Amino acid sequence: MTLTIEQVRDTRFHLARRNGYDPQDVDTFVDKVETTLVALAEENATLQQQVSTLSADGGVVDSGEAKGQLEAKDAEIESLRAELEQVRGTLESREAELRAAGEGRDEDVQALIAGKDDQLAGKDSELTSKNEELARKEEELAAK
């Protein structure tokens, strides 16, 4: 059984005769403290062995090396961000060019349609006058 700090703080011994503590309570408590200290010492030794093994195997990364790798990755990220912004700028300017070209074409098409509408209106009025003339000619022929 492991002993916690709270258990040590909360431990109270029963008073024995003549204003002293009960020896059996004190002995039990000392045994618990001893068991806990032995377990902690063994755990400490195991952890120290693991640390030395990892250090010998190169399991611990040099903090300078890690900083260098981190700085390299940060620089790569910044480079990619700059490239992304450049591509965005290019795409935005190309989009603006295409929109302007499309708007110009729309205006050209609209002008062409308006011209054809005018021609059609002229042809329509010519057709109407020709129909009227034909109708007059038919009346003349019918009257003769």
Side-chain angles (χ1 to χ4, degrees), residues 3-10:
L3 194 61
T4 65
I5 297 294
E6 289 80 23
Q7 288 172 326
V8 171
R9 287 183 184 143
D10 294 341

Side-chain angles (χ1 to χ4, degrees), residues 35-69:
T35 304
T36 301
L37 289 175
V38 168
L40 289 174
E42 289 173 358
E43 182 181 2
N44 190 17
T46 302
L47 292 172
Q48 285 179 347
Q49 179 62 35
Q50 289 175 355
V51 167
S52 66
T53 301
L54 286 173
S55 295
D57 292 342
V60 177
V61 177
D62 180 25
S63 66
E65 180 183 335
K67 279 185 180 180
Q69 289 175 351

Side-chain angles (χ1 to χ4, degrees), residues 98-119:
L98 290 173
R99 285 186 189 274
E103 287 172 3
R105 287 187 181 150
D106 285 349
E107 291 171 3
D108 291 345
V109 169
Q110 288 176 357
L112 183 62
I113 289 172
K116 294 296 180 182
D117 282 346
D118 290 343
Q119 286 178 357

Side-chain angles (χ1 to χ4, degrees), residues 75-90:
E76 183 180 355
I77 288 171
E78 286 305 314
S79 171
L80 290 172
R81 281 186 179 148
E83 186 178 339
L84 178 62
E85 287 303 315
Q86 183 180 7
V87 168
R88 280 184 180 156
T90 303

Side-chain angles (χ1 to χ4, degrees), residues 11 18 23 33-35 37 41 51 54 57 70 72 102 122-123 131 143:
T11 299
R18 299 185 204 152
V33 170
E34 179 185 6
T35 304
L37 289 175
V51 167
L54 286 173
D57 292 342
L70 182 60
K123 295 291 182 182
N131 280 338

